[in-house]
mmCIF file with all atom_site columns, all heavy atoms in Angstrom:
data_model
loop_
_atom_site.group_PDB
_atom_site.id
_atom_site.type_symbol
_atom_site.label_atom_id
_atom_site.label_alt_id
_atom_site.label_comp_id
_atom_site.label_asym_id
_atom_site.label_entity_id
_atom_site.label_seq_id
_atom_site.pdbx_PDB_ins_code
_atom_site.Cartn_x
_atom_site.Cartn_y
_atom_site.Cartn_z
_atom_site.occupancy
_atom_site.B_iso_or_equiv
_atom_site.pdbx_formal_charge
_atom_site.auth_seq_id
_atom_site.auth_comp_id
_atom_site.auth_asym_id
_atom_site.auth_atom_id
_atom_site.pdbx_PDB_model_num
ATOM 1   N N   . THR K 1 50  ? -10.120 9.715  6.684  1.00 0.00 ? 50  THR K N   1
ATOM 2   C CA  . THR K 1 50  ? -9.105  9.160  5.751  1.00 0.00 ? 50  THR K CA  1
ATOM 3   C C   . THR K 1 50  ? -7.979  10.191 5.430  1.00 0.00 ? 50  THR K C   1
ATOM 4   O O   . THR K 1 50  ? -6.851  9.747  5.056  1.00 0.00 ? 50  THR K O   1
ATOM 5   C CB  . THR K 1 50  ? -9.732  8.769  4.396  1.00 0.00 ? 50  THR K CB  1
ATOM 6   O OG1 . THR K 1 50  ? -10.345 9.848  3.868  1.00 0.00 ? 50  THR K OG1 1
ATOM 7   C CG2 . THR K 1 50  ? -10.722 7.608  4.625  1.00 0.00 ? 50  THR K CG2 1
ATOM 8   N N   . HIS K 1 133 ? -5.832  -4.333 -2.016 1.00 0.00 ? 133 HIS K N   1
ATOM 9   C CA  . HIS K 1 133 ? -5.294  -4.515 -0.758 1.00 0.00 ? 133 HIS K CA  1
ATOM 10  C C   . HIS K 1 133 ? -6.021  -5.657 -0.034 1.00 0.00 ? 133 HIS K C   1
ATOM 11  O O   . HIS K 1 133 ? -6.902  -5.559 0.748  1.00 0.00 ? 133 HIS K O   1
ATOM 12  C CB  . HIS K 1 133 ? -5.444  -3.317 0.150  1.00 0.00 ? 133 HIS K CB  1
ATOM 13  C CG  . HIS K 1 133 ? -4.780  -2.057 -0.500 1.00 0.00 ? 133 HIS K CG  1
ATOM 14  N ND1 . HIS K 1 133 ? -3.569  -2.082 -1.092 1.00 0.00 ? 133 HIS K ND1 1
ATOM 15  C CD2 . HIS K 1 133 ? -5.382  -0.744 -0.656 1.00 0.00 ? 133 HIS K CD2 1
ATOM 16  C CE1 . HIS K 1 133 ? -3.279  -0.877 -1.619 1.00 0.00 ? 133 HIS K CE1 1
ATOM 17  N NE2 . HIS K 1 133 ? -4.387  -0.090 -1.390 1.00 0.00 ? 133 HIS K NE2 1
ATOM 18  N N   . GLY K 1 136 ? -7.170  -6.926 3.765  1.00 0.00 ? 136 GLY K N   1
ATOM 19  C CA  . GLY K 1 136 ? -7.043  -5.861 4.733  1.00 0.00 ? 136 GLY K CA  1
ATOM 20  C C   . GLY K 1 136 ? -5.655  -5.276 4.881  1.00 0.00 ? 136 GLY K C   1
ATOM 21  O O   . GLY K 1 136 ? -5.452  -4.509 5.810  1.00 0.00 ? 136 GLY K O   1
ATOM 22  N N   . GLN K 1 137 ? -4.743  -5.726 4.085  1.00 0.00 ? 137 GLN K N   1
ATOM 23  C CA  . GLN K 1 137 ? -3.298  -5.237 4.146  1.00 0.00 ? 137 GLN K CA  1
ATOM 24  C C   . GLN K 1 137 ? -2.912  -4.567 2.865  1.00 0.00 ? 137 GLN K C   1
ATOM 25  O O   . GLN K 1 137 ? -3.122  -5.200 1.743  1.00 0.00 ? 137 GLN K O   1
ATOM 26  C CB  . GLN K 1 137 ? -2.408  -6.429 4.517  1.00 0.00 ? 137 GLN K CB  1
ATOM 27  C CG  . GLN K 1 137 ? -0.986  -6.082 4.560  1.00 0.00 ? 137 GLN K CG  1
ATOM 28  C CD  . GLN K 1 137 ? -0.083  -7.288 5.112  1.00 0.00 ? 137 GLN K CD  1
ATOM 29  O OE1 . GLN K 1 137 ? 0.551   -7.106 6.007  1.00 0.00 ? 137 GLN K OE1 1
ATOM 30  N NE2 . GLN K 1 137 ? -0.145  -8.388 4.391  1.00 0.00 ? 137 GLN K NE2 1
ATOM 31  N N   . CYS K 1 138 ? -2.223  -3.479 2.999  1.00 0.00 ? 138 CYS K N   1
ATOM 32  C CA  . CYS K 1 138 ? -1.881  -2.788 1.666  1.00 0.00 ? 138 CYS K CA  1
ATOM 33  C C   . CYS K 1 138 ? -0.909  -3.499 0.850  1.00 0.00 ? 138 CYS K C   1
ATOM 34  O O   . CYS K 1 138 ? 0.091   -4.063 1.437  1.00 0.00 ? 138 CYS K O   1
ATOM 35  C CB  . CYS K 1 138 ? -1.294  -1.359 2.037  1.00 0.00 ? 138 CYS K CB  1
ATOM 36  S SG  . CYS K 1 138 ? -2.521  -0.275 2.720  1.00 0.00 ? 138 CYS K SG  1
ATOM 37  N N   . GLU K 1 157 ? -6.457  2.223  -6.506 1.00 0.00 ? 157 GLU K N   1
ATOM 38  C CA  . GLU K 1 157 ? -6.425  1.208  -5.417 1.00 0.00 ? 157 GLU K CA  1
ATOM 39  C C   . GLU K 1 157 ? -7.781  0.577  -5.234 1.00 0.00 ? 157 GLU K C   1
ATOM 40  O O   . GLU K 1 157 ? -8.812  1.251  -5.063 1.00 0.00 ? 157 GLU K O   1
ATOM 41  C CB  . GLU K 1 157 ? -5.978  1.881  -4.088 1.00 0.00 ? 157 GLU K CB  1
ATOM 42  C CG  . GLU K 1 157 ? -4.623  2.462  -4.081 1.00 0.00 ? 157 GLU K CG  1
ATOM 43  C CD  . GLU K 1 157 ? -4.503  3.262  -2.723 1.00 0.00 ? 157 GLU K CD  1
ATOM 44  O OE1 . GLU K 1 157 ? -4.319  2.562  -1.727 1.00 0.00 ? 157 GLU K OE1 1
ATOM 45  O OE2 . GLU K 1 157 ? -4.445  4.539  -2.801 1.00 0.00 ? 157 GLU K OE2 1
ATOM 46  N N   . ALA K 1 159 ? -9.524  -0.692 -2.450 1.00 0.00 ? 159 ALA K N   1
ATOM 47  C CA  . ALA K 1 159 ? -9.341  -0.713 -1.007 1.00 0.00 ? 159 ALA K CA  1
ATOM 48  C C   . ALA K 1 159 ? -10.611 -1.182 -0.388 1.00 0.00 ? 159 ALA K C   1
ATOM 49  O O   . ALA K 1 159 ? -10.943 -0.826 0.786  1.00 0.00 ? 159 ALA K O   1
ATOM 50  C CB  . ALA K 1 159 ? -8.912  0.687  -0.504 1.00 0.00 ? 159 ALA K CB  1
ATOM 51  N N   . ALA K 1 162 ? -9.932  -2.876 2.804  1.00 0.00 ? 162 ALA K N   1
ATOM 52  C CA  . ALA K 1 162 ? -8.816  -2.341 3.696  1.00 0.00 ? 162 ALA K CA  1
ATOM 53  C C   . ALA K 1 162 ? -9.042  -0.967 4.229  1.00 0.00 ? 162 ALA K C   1
ATOM 54  O O   . ALA K 1 162 ? -8.065  -0.262 4.579  1.00 0.00 ? 162 ALA K O   1
ATOM 55  C CB  . ALA K 1 162 ? -7.496  -2.318 2.806  1.00 0.00 ? 162 ALA K CB  1
ATOM 56  N N   . ILE K 1 163 ? -10.300 -0.512 4.327  1.00 0.00 ? 163 ILE K N   1
ATOM 57  C CA  . ILE K 1 163 ? -10.508 0.867  4.788  1.00 0.00 ? 163 ILE K CA  1
ATOM 58  C C   . ILE K 1 163 ? -9.916  0.959  6.240  1.00 0.00 ? 163 ILE K C   1
ATOM 59  O O   . ILE K 1 163 ? -10.044 0.070  7.073  1.00 0.00 ? 163 ILE K O   1
ATOM 60  C CB  . ILE K 1 163 ? -12.025 1.219  4.811  1.00 0.00 ? 163 ILE K CB  1
ATOM 61  C CG1 . ILE K 1 163 ? -12.124 2.712  4.970  1.00 0.00 ? 163 ILE K CG1 1
ATOM 62  C CG2 . ILE K 1 163 ? -12.832 0.460  5.847  1.00 0.00 ? 163 ILE K CG2 1
ATOM 63  C CD1 . ILE K 1 163 ? -13.444 3.300  4.616  1.00 0.00 ? 163 ILE K CD1 1
ATOM 64  N N   . GLY K 1 164 ? -9.191  2.061  6.377  1.00 0.00 ? 164 GLY K N   1
ATOM 65  C CA  . GLY K 1 164 ? -8.522  2.230  7.807  1.00 0.00 ? 164 GLY K CA  1
ATOM 66  C C   . GLY K 1 164 ? -7.120  1.682  7.880  1.00 0.00 ? 164 GLY K C   1
ATOM 67  O O   . GLY K 1 164 ? -6.379  1.915  8.797  1.00 0.00 ? 164 GLY K O   1
ATOM 68  N N   . ALA K 1 165 ? -6.701  0.863  6.943  1.00 0.00 ? 165 ALA K N   1
ATOM 69  C CA  . ALA K 1 165 ? -5.284  0.365  6.973  1.00 0.00 ? 165 ALA K CA  1
ATOM 70  C C   . ALA K 1 165 ? -4.330  1.509  6.743  1.00 0.00 ? 165 ALA K C   1
ATOM 71  O O   . ALA K 1 165 ? -4.655  2.368  5.865  1.00 0.00 ? 165 ALA K O   1
ATOM 72  C CB  . ALA K 1 165 ? -5.138  -0.758 5.952  1.00 0.00 ? 165 ALA K CB  1
ATOM 73  N N   . LYS K 1 166 ? -3.209  1.508  7.360  1.00 0.00 ? 166 LYS K N   1
ATOM 74  C CA  . LYS K 1 166 ? -2.273  2.575  7.204  1.00 0.00 ? 166 LYS K CA  1
ATOM 75  C C   . LYS K 1 166 ? -0.982  2.096  6.663  1.00 0.00 ? 166 LYS K C   1
ATOM 76  O O   . LYS K 1 166 ? -0.458  1.088  7.058  1.00 0.00 ? 166 LYS K O   1
ATOM 77  C CB  . LYS K 1 166 ? -1.969  3.212  8.587  1.00 0.00 ? 166 LYS K CB  1
ATOM 78  C CG  . LYS K 1 166 ? -3.189  3.887  9.239  1.00 0.00 ? 166 LYS K CG  1
ATOM 79  C CD  . LYS K 1 166 ? -2.779  4.764  10.354 1.00 0.00 ? 166 LYS K CD  1
ATOM 80  C CE  . LYS K 1 166 ? -3.956  5.414  11.070 1.00 0.00 ? 166 LYS K CE  1
ATOM 81  N NZ  . LYS K 1 166 ? -4.720  4.480  11.989 1.00 0.00 ? 166 LYS K NZ  1
ATOM 82  N N   . TYR K 1 167 ? -0.535  2.900  5.682  1.00 0.00 ? 167 TYR K N   1
ATOM 83  C CA  . TYR K 1 167 ? 0.747   2.490  4.977  1.00 0.00 ? 167 TYR K CA  1
ATOM 84  C C   . TYR K 1 167 ? 1.821   3.562  5.200  1.00 0.00 ? 167 TYR K C   1
ATOM 85  O O   . TYR K 1 167 ? 1.568   4.768  5.067  1.00 0.00 ? 167 TYR K O   1
ATOM 86  C CB  . TYR K 1 167 ? 0.479   2.354  3.449  1.00 0.00 ? 167 TYR K CB  1
ATOM 87  C CG  . TYR K 1 167 ? 1.670   1.927  2.689  1.00 0.00 ? 167 TYR K CG  1
ATOM 88  C CD1 . TYR K 1 167 ? 1.748   0.503  2.443  1.00 0.00 ? 167 TYR K CD1 1
ATOM 89  C CD2 . TYR K 1 167 ? 2.640   2.770  2.148  1.00 0.00 ? 167 TYR K CD2 1
ATOM 90  C CE1 . TYR K 1 167 ? 2.834   0.085  1.747  1.00 0.00 ? 167 TYR K CE1 1
ATOM 91  C CE2 . TYR K 1 167 ? 3.725   2.242  1.457  1.00 0.00 ? 167 TYR K CE2 1
ATOM 92  C CZ  . TYR K 1 167 ? 3.831   0.938  1.239  1.00 0.00 ? 167 TYR K CZ  1
ATOM 93  O OH  . TYR K 1 167 ? 4.896   0.382  0.567  1.00 0.00 ? 167 TYR K OH  1
ATOM 94  N N   . LYS K 1 175 ? -0.020  7.075  5.078  1.00 0.00 ? 175 LYS K N   1
ATOM 95  C CA  . LYS K 1 175 ? -1.263  7.405  4.389  1.00 0.00 ? 175 LYS K CA  1
ATOM 96  C C   . LYS K 1 175 ? -2.201  6.199  4.545  1.00 0.00 ? 175 LYS K C   1
ATOM 97  O O   . LYS K 1 175 ? -1.778  5.056  4.729  1.00 0.00 ? 175 LYS K O   1
ATOM 98  C CB  . LYS K 1 175 ? -1.026  7.628  2.869  1.00 0.00 ? 175 LYS K CB  1
ATOM 99  C CG  . LYS K 1 175 ? -0.334  8.980  2.596  1.00 0.00 ? 175 LYS K CG  1
ATOM 100 C CD  . LYS K 1 175 ? -0.349  9.245  1.008  1.00 0.00 ? 175 LYS K CD  1
ATOM 101 C CE  . LYS K 1 175 ? 0.441   10.458 0.736  1.00 0.00 ? 175 LYS K CE  1
ATOM 102 N NZ  . LYS K 1 175 ? 0.573   10.587 -0.724 1.00 0.00 ? 175 LYS K NZ  1
ATOM 103 N N   . GLN K 1 176 ? -3.532  6.529  4.417  1.00 0.00 ? 176 GLN K N   1
ATOM 104 C CA  . GLN K 1 176 ? -4.485  5.420  4.536  1.00 0.00 ? 176 GLN K CA  1
ATOM 105 C C   . GLN K 1 176 ? -4.651  4.712  3.231  1.00 0.00 ? 176 GLN K C   1
ATOM 106 O O   . GLN K 1 176 ? -4.589  5.342  2.166  1.00 0.00 ? 176 GLN K O   1
ATOM 107 C CB  . GLN K 1 176 ? -5.838  5.982  5.035  1.00 0.00 ? 176 GLN K CB  1
ATOM 108 C CG  . GLN K 1 176 ? -5.743  6.182  6.550  1.00 0.00 ? 176 GLN K CG  1
ATOM 109 C CD  . GLN K 1 176 ? -7.202  6.237  7.069  1.00 0.00 ? 176 GLN K CD  1
ATOM 110 O OE1 . GLN K 1 176 ? -8.127  5.763  6.533  1.00 0.00 ? 176 GLN K OE1 1
ATOM 111 N NE2 . GLN K 1 176 ? -7.309  6.874  8.247  1.00 0.00 ? 176 GLN K NE2 1
ATOM 112 N N   . ALA K 1 177 ? -5.044  3.459  3.351  1.00 0.00 ? 177 ALA K N   1
ATOM 113 C CA  . ALA K 1 177 ? -5.352  2.691  2.186  1.00 0.00 ? 177 ALA K CA  1
ATOM 114 C C   . ALA K 1 177 ? -6.417  3.413  1.383  1.00 0.00 ? 177 ALA K C   1
ATOM 115 O O   . ALA K 1 177 ? -7.371  3.916  1.864  1.00 0.00 ? 177 ALA K O   1
ATOM 116 C CB  . ALA K 1 177 ? -5.975  1.315  2.539  1.00 0.00 ? 177 ALA K CB  1
ATOM 117 N N   . GLY K 1 178 ? -6.250  3.497  0.073  1.00 0.00 ? 178 GLY K N   1
ATOM 118 C CA  . GLY K 1 178 ? -7.260  4.160  -0.818 1.00 0.00 ? 178 GLY K CA  1
ATOM 119 C C   . GLY K 1 178 ? -6.925  5.634  -1.050 1.00 0.00 ? 178 GLY K C   1
ATOM 120 O O   . GLY K 1 178 ? -7.497  6.218  -1.928 1.00 0.00 ? 178 GLY K O   1
ATOM 121 N N   . THR K 1 179 ? -5.982  6.132  -0.346 1.00 0.00 ? 179 THR K N   1
ATOM 122 C CA  . THR K 1 179 ? -5.607  7.575  -0.443 1.00 0.00 ? 179 THR K CA  1
ATOM 123 C C   . THR K 1 179 ? -4.245  7.827  -1.017 1.00 0.00 ? 179 THR K C   1
ATOM 124 O O   . THR K 1 179 ? -3.748  8.929  -1.034 1.00 0.00 ? 179 THR K O   1
ATOM 125 C CB  . THR K 1 179 ? -5.804  8.381  0.880  1.00 0.00 ? 179 THR K CB  1
ATOM 126 O OG1 . THR K 1 179 ? -4.676  7.987  1.663  1.00 0.00 ? 179 THR K OG1 1
ATOM 127 C CG2 . THR K 1 179 ? -7.053  8.049  1.656  1.00 0.00 ? 179 THR K CG2 1
ATOM 128 N N   . ILE K 1 180 ? -3.637  6.726  -1.501 1.00 0.00 ? 180 ILE K N   1
ATOM 129 C CA  . ILE K 1 180 ? -2.201  6.835  -1.892 1.00 0.00 ? 180 ILE K CA  1
ATOM 130 C C   . ILE K 1 180 ? -2.137  6.945  -3.474 1.00 0.00 ? 180 ILE K C   1
ATOM 131 O O   . ILE K 1 180 ? -1.321  7.819  -3.909 1.00 0.00 ? 180 ILE K O   1
ATOM 132 C CB  . ILE K 1 180 ? -1.500  5.443  -1.456 1.00 0.00 ? 180 ILE K CB  1
ATOM 133 C CG1 . ILE K 1 180 ? -1.619  5.255  -0.025 1.00 0.00 ? 180 ILE K CG1 1
ATOM 134 C CG2 . ILE K 1 180 ? -0.003  5.505  -1.892 1.00 0.00 ? 180 ILE K CG2 1
ATOM 135 C CD1 . ILE K 1 180 ? -1.333  3.905  0.541  1.00 0.00 ? 180 ILE K CD1 1
ATOM 136 N N   . GLY K 1 184 ? -8.678  5.907  -5.189 1.00 0.00 ? 184 GLY K N   1
ATOM 137 C CA  . GLY K 1 184 ? -9.018  4.703  -4.367 1.00 0.00 ? 184 GLY K CA  1
ATOM 138 C C   . GLY K 1 184 ? -10.470 4.392  -4.362 1.00 0.00 ? 184 GLY K C   1
ATOM 139 O O   . GLY K 1 184 ? -11.290 5.334  -4.457 1.00 0.00 ? 184 GLY K O   1
ATOM 140 N N   . CYS K 1 185 ? -10.775 3.159  -4.247 1.00 0.00 ? 185 CYS K N   1
ATOM 141 C CA  . CYS K 1 185 ? -12.144 2.669  -4.171 1.00 0.00 ? 185 CYS K CA  1
ATOM 142 C C   . CYS K 1 185 ? -12.437 1.893  -2.970 1.00 0.00 ? 185 CYS K C   1
ATOM 143 O O   . CYS K 1 185 ? -11.607 1.021  -2.599 1.00 0.00 ? 185 CYS K O   1
ATOM 144 C CB  . CYS K 1 185 ? -12.460 1.901  -5.394 1.00 0.00 ? 185 CYS K CB  1
ATOM 145 S SG  . CYS K 1 185 ? -12.174 2.733  -6.982 1.00 0.00 ? 185 CYS K SG  1
ATOM 146 N N   . THR K 1 186 ? -13.608 2.054  -2.363 1.00 0.00 ? 186 THR K N   1
ATOM 147 C CA  . THR K 1 186 ? -13.965 1.132  -1.241 1.00 0.00 ? 186 THR K CA  1
ATOM 148 C C   . THR K 1 186 ? -15.378 0.747  -1.363 1.00 0.00 ? 186 THR K C   1
ATOM 149 O O   . THR K 1 186 ? -16.227 1.271  -2.102 1.00 0.00 ? 186 THR K O   1
ATOM 150 C CB  . THR K 1 186 ? -13.561 1.803  0.071  1.00 0.00 ? 186 THR K CB  1
ATOM 151 O OG1 . THR K 1 186 ? -13.425 0.730  1.099  1.00 0.00 ? 186 THR K OG1 1
ATOM 152 C CG2 . THR K 1 186 ? -14.670 2.765  0.514  1.00 0.00 ? 186 THR K CG2 1
ATOM 153 N N   . PHE K 1 204 ? -12.183 7.780  -3.536 1.00 0.00 ? 204 PHE K N   1
ATOM 154 C CA  . PHE K 1 204 ? -11.293 8.707  -2.899 1.00 0.00 ? 204 PHE K CA  1
ATOM 155 C C   . PHE K 1 204 ? -10.316 9.222  -3.948 1.00 0.00 ? 204 PHE K C   1
ATOM 156 O O   . PHE K 1 204 ? -9.771  8.504  -4.747 1.00 0.00 ? 204 PHE K O   1
ATOM 157 C CB  . PHE K 1 204 ? -10.374 8.046  -1.841 1.00 0.00 ? 204 PHE K CB  1
ATOM 158 C CG  . PHE K 1 204 ? -11.081 7.247  -0.726 1.00 0.00 ? 204 PHE K CG  1
ATOM 159 C CD1 . PHE K 1 204 ? -10.519 6.144  -0.209 1.00 0.00 ? 204 PHE K CD1 1
ATOM 160 C CD2 . PHE K 1 204 ? -12.313 7.748  -0.291 1.00 0.00 ? 204 PHE K CD2 1
ATOM 161 C CE1 . PHE K 1 204 ? -11.192 5.452  0.870  1.00 0.00 ? 204 PHE K CE1 1
ATOM 162 C CE2 . PHE K 1 204 ? -12.996 7.007  0.746  1.00 0.00 ? 204 PHE K CE2 1
ATOM 163 C CZ  . PHE K 1 204 ? -12.339 5.965  1.367  1.00 0.00 ? 204 PHE K CZ  1
ATOM 164 N N   . SER K 1 285 ? 2.751   -1.914 6.228  1.00 0.00 ? 285 SER K N   1
ATOM 165 C CA  . SER K 1 285 ? 1.306   -1.622 6.231  1.00 0.00 ? 285 SER K CA  1
ATOM 166 C C   . SER K 1 285 ? 0.709   -2.235 7.574  1.00 0.00 ? 285 SER K C   1
ATOM 167 O O   . SER K 1 285 ? 1.160   -3.268 7.928  1.00 0.00 ? 285 SER K O   1
ATOM 168 C CB  . SER K 1 285 ? 0.658   -2.321 5.055  1.00 0.00 ? 285 SER K CB  1
ATOM 169 O OG  . SER K 1 285 ? -0.783  -2.193 5.124  1.00 0.00 ? 285 SER K OG  1
#
Side-chain angles (χ1 to χ4, degrees):
T50 57
H133 305 316
Q137 177 173 235
C138 293
E157 299 173 70
I163 194 162
K166 294 193 182 83
Y167 187 89
K175 289 187 184 175
Q176 281 199 24
T179 72
I180 304 165
C185 299
T186 202
F204 302 148
S285 176

